[in-house]
Amino acid sequence: MTQATVKIGKREITTDELFASGHRGCIGCGEMLAVRLTMKALGRDVVISNATGCIEIVSSPLPTTSWEVPWIHTLFENTAAVASGVESGLKVMMRKGRIPQKQIHSIAIAGDGATSDIGFQALSGALERGHDFVYICFDNEAYMNTGIQRSSSTPYGASTTTAPVGKKSIGQTTQKKNMPEIAVAHGIPYVATACASYPFDLMEKVKKAADVKGPAYVHVFSVCDTGWRIPTNQSVAVGRMAVQSGVFPLYEVENGKYKLNIDPTLKPVADYLKKQGRFRHLSDAEIQKIQERVTSEYAKLKEKVARSQAPSA
């Protein structure tokens, strides 16, 4: 069957919608847009293992579903383990002739809490064992589906319901866990960061991750208008500001080689922070502290890119 496509510039994008409309995502949810783009990149030959979280809650209220592909609901803690089992099971079934030989991708989908906190052990084990699967973290920087509770992916200074701002607190007091770098440390073939505000970059990275032989990890920055307290029509703009300020750089690491996909002249972090209600309480001194860390971390990333591009001795 010939797949229908639409041409956008030099690119052709499928008109197939494998994450259907009618889900119960919040108005303006950046994560739902990212999932829709992800599924366009992956196509139909996939099995999705999906942790409890925003995506699972809004896409599968029984008896309805938004998934047009095989989909499994997993617990917070075992998404990578289930996706590993799917990958191994498909291999065995093909070897025994139970199903035809063809490329079927095993895809794990989870939020930041299920990735950086509760499901971390399963993810680390699956990456270490070398399963041929793709793990995609949709990072909205808190446990949004259970009431905007902090996770280890919540950035410094953000106010959440379990790290609230008050007379003696600025909100979250620890720095965001760097999951892409932790994935890189496992020595896997492919790691990338992406954001729906740059849709073609996101789709190309997801497709590349699926084509890799072995484990691949894609960390998707997913703007949450509800938890971040922004207008519902600002998700794409705020995601773009995160990239252009250096708060969330878009890069990929192929077999240990770093590549920065977008390298803008960095805009002030204050412009990004002041758009969001969760940061509105921060003093100029705290904003300057965040700016210095972003500048420092971005410089470290550029050093890694430069070393990757340097000729071998």
Side-chain angles (χ1 to χ4, degrees):
M1 184 175 69
T2 304
Q3 194 176 65
T5 60
V6 59
K7 196 164 185 178
I8 302 176
K10 295 180 180 178
R11 299 175 174 90
E12 288 201 357
I13 309 298
T14 177
T15 58
D16 266 6
E17 297 292 351
L18 303 179
F19 186 71
S21 59
H23 58 73
R24 299 182 184 182
C26 298
I27 298 169
C29 175
E31 193 159 285
M32 296 304 109
L33 174 58
V35 175
R36 181 185 173 202
L37 295 169
T38 294
M39 294 311 302
K40 282 180 176 291
L42 289 171
R44 291 187 177 276
D45 291 330
V46 296
V47 177
I48 304 289
S49 302
N50 185 184
T52 296
C54 284
I55 298 169
E56 175 268 325
I57 292 291
V58 306
S59 69
S60 59
L62 283 172
T64 64
T65 179
S66 289
W67 297 94
E68 301 283 348
V69 296
W71 175 88
I72 303 169
H73 172 209
T74 70
L75 304 177
F76 273 115
E77 63 267 33
N78 66 349
T79 314
V82 171
S84 302
V86 168
E87 183 255 355
S88 298
L90 287 170
K91 273 185 191 171
V92 172
M93 292 175 75
M94 288 180 197
R95 189 173 71 238
K96 292 185 173 181
R98 301 274 294 275
I99 59 176
Q101 289 280 349
K102 66 184 294 188
Q103 179 73 60
I104 302 175
H105 301 294
S106 176
I107 311 293
I109 287 179
D112 51 285
T115 301
S116 60
D117 296 340
I118 306 172
F120 184 79
Q121 42 74 31
L123 171 59
S124 181
L127 298 182
E128 182 253 329
R129 292 191 301 272
H131 287 277
D132 187 8
F133 81 125
V134 182
Y135 190 102
I136 305 176
C137 171
F138 290 92
D139 178 9
N140 56 23
E141 300 190 325
Y143 290 85
M144 296 302 182
N145 71 306
T146 50
I148 317 175
Q149 300 152 334
R150 71 161 293 280
S151 75
S152 60
S153 192
T154 301
Y156 176 85
S159 179
T160 73
T161 54
T162 50
V165 64
K167 291 181 179 177
K168 296 184 178 181
S169 172
I170 62 160
Q172 176 79 344
T173 55
T174 59
Q175 298 290 345
K176 175 173 177 145
K177 188 182 284 184
N178 193 334
M179 276 306 303
E181 286 301 304
I182 291 171
V184 170
H186 284 76
I188 61 175
Y190 188 74
V191 176
T193 63
C195 176
S197 302
Y198 295 83
F200 296 115
D201 179 78
L202 186 154
M203 287 189 283
E204 286 164 7
K205 286 172 174 171
V206 169
K207 186 171 189 321
K208 188 182 284 189
D211 289 341
V212 161
K213 185 68 177 171
Y217 178 88
V218 183
H219 197 95
V220 180
F221 193 70
S222 302
V223 177
C224 173
D225 50 333
T226 303
W228 298 13
R229 296 175 215 151
I230 61 173
T232 55
N233 64 351
Q234 291 295 301
S235 294
V236 172
V238 170
R240 196 174 294 128
M241 291 175 74
V243 174
Q244 294 181 350
S245 62
V247 168
F248 190 83
L250 296 183
Y251 66 99
E252 56 190 341
V253 187
E254 292 186 74
N255 298 311
K257 302 287 187 185
Y258 283 75
K259 178 183 177 183
L260 199 52
N261 305 105
I262 294 175
D263 187 16
T265 300
L266 296 185
K267 295 181 177 177
V269 172
D271 293 351
Y272 166 72
L273 298 177
K274 288 179 178 178
K275 282 277 186 184
Q276 304 170 57
R278 61 177 178 158
F279 294 119
R280 269 186 205 135
H281 57 281
L282 293 179
S283 65
D284 289 344
E286 291 292 351
I287 291 174
Q288 181 58 30
K289 188 187 295 185
I290 295 171
Q291 176 68 70
E292 289 170 2
R293 180 174 173 85
V294 168
T295 302
S296 170
E297 292 299 308
Y298 200 81
K300 289 178 189 173
L301 175 60
K302 292 200 73 168
E303 286 177 14
K304 292 175 184 175
V305 173
R307 283 200 299 271
S308 295
Q309 294 173 349
S312 302

